[in-house]
Amino acid sequence: MEENKHTVRAVERALDILLCFTESKELSLTEISHQVSLNKSTVYRLLASLEGKGFLIRDKMTDKYRLGFRLWELSANLVRDDDPAILFLPEMERIRDLIGETISLYVRDGLERIRIQAVEGNQAIRRVAPIGVRMPLTVGASSKVLVAFSEEIDLNDFKWPETVDQQKYTEQLKRIREAGFATSAEEREQGTAAIAAPVFNRHGKVICALCVSGPVSRLTIDKMLEIAPLVMDSAKRMGRIAR
């Protein structure tokens, strides 16, 4: 982790430990020590402090740690009146009922996107959409939407996977800006397709990407072109209520 003169090392390390639980529900001392690249004795002291304050709970049977209830107390005081995950949920449910597929919201965080809300489709076979997952901005319909309509991103900062051609990606961004939406098929995950549209606030800044995802057998290119007007209209509806 990169530190500067304004940070406090112990606080940074404690936060790094908490961030380990973004992808795991339970972790052992050894696993945490490996993830944060610190020796076990240092991690143990930090874990004891976090446990004492209620941010972590240690299971005495398995000797593993999980997030504590103090985090729930903090989350109860989140500002929700302008939170897209809360504000746009009714519209997400509405378009899910129209299309039948899984609906997700993504926001950009640096060079990654994060799924902040999801409404599962009502099909027997549907796309499972865990909230909080981070994904690169180099693949996927939502990624391309967030990049295409942002003025703050330099493509030279990306770590391009071997499967992605930077020149073709750049050409796609131009077409996405013209069309108002993006599509993808098996770019990030085999068997999955998606279509996404940008949600703009009243100042014309993209705040998130609205995405419809499902199996490629249902979300064919023809199907995605058919529902594109619905997706873009839903994104505009969200934009009208964005604060």
Side-chain angles (χ1 to χ4, degrees), residues 182-209:
T183 63
S184 64
E186 300 186 301
E187 289 186 7
R188 192 189 65 83
E189 185 177 346
Q190 188 174 4
T192 300
I195 176 171
V199 178
F200 298 100
N201 63 16
R202 65 187 65 181
H203 304 294
K205 182 178 180 180
V206 62
I207 53 177
C208 60

Side-chain angles (χ1 to χ4, degrees), residues 7-166:
T7 62
V8 178
R9 180 173 295 182
V11 175
E12 294 276 3
R13 288 175 170 178
L15 292 173
D16 283 342
I17 288 175
L18 290 177
L19 289 173
C20 290
F21 293 88
T22 57
E23 297 182 0
S24 303
K25 292 182 179 180
E26 290 188 331
L27 291 168
S28 67
L29 169 62
T30 300
E31 290 169 332
I32 296 170
S33 176
H34 176 73
Q35 288 194 35
V36 298
S37 301
L38 293 172
N39 61 61
K40 289 184 180 180
S41 59
T42 299
V43 172
Y44 181 80
R45 291 195 297 272
L46 291 166
L47 288 171
S49 296
L50 290 168
E51 184 182 5
K53 291 293 185 180
F55 289 99
L56 291 178
I57 296 173
R58 183 173 65 88
D59 189 318
K60 295 181 180 180
M61 296 293 293
T62 63
D63 210 26
K64 288 192 173 186
Y65 294 84
R66 66 178 185 272
L67 293 176
F69 296 113
R70 184 55 59 87
L71 290 170
W72 289 100
E73 295 177 34
L74 290 175
S75 67
N77 291 317
L78 283 172
V79 177
R80 296 183 181 274
D81 59 354
D82 61 352
D83 183 352
I86 304 299
L87 196 62
F88 300 153
L89 186 57
E91 178 61 25
M92 293 176 68
E93 293 174 339
R94 187 191 74 85
I95 191 172
R96 185 274 313 276
D97 292 341
L98 285 175
I99 296 175
E101 303 291 354
T102 295
I103 311 297
S104 302
L105 277 186
Y106 290 92
V107 296
R108 181 175 69 87
D109 183 23
L111 299 181
E112 296 178 309
R113 60 179 163 113
I114 306 173
R115 183 183 282 120
I116 62 168
Q117 184 61 281
V119 178
E120 287 193 10
N122 52 26
Q123 304 280 356
I125 300 175
R126 58 186 182 270
R127 174 78 168 80
V128 177
I131 295 173
V133 172
R134 288 179 173 266
M135 304 172 193
L137 288 178
T138 50
V139 291
S142 296
S143 291
K144 289 181 285 189
V145 159
L146 292 171
V147 175
F149 294 95
S150 174
E151 299 178 353
E152 309 166 356
I153 299 177
D154 186 346
L155 296 183
N156 293 319
D157 293 335
F158 284 4
K159 294 181 179 179
W160 294 94
E162 295 181 358
T163 55
V164 178
D165 184 296
Q166 184 176 350

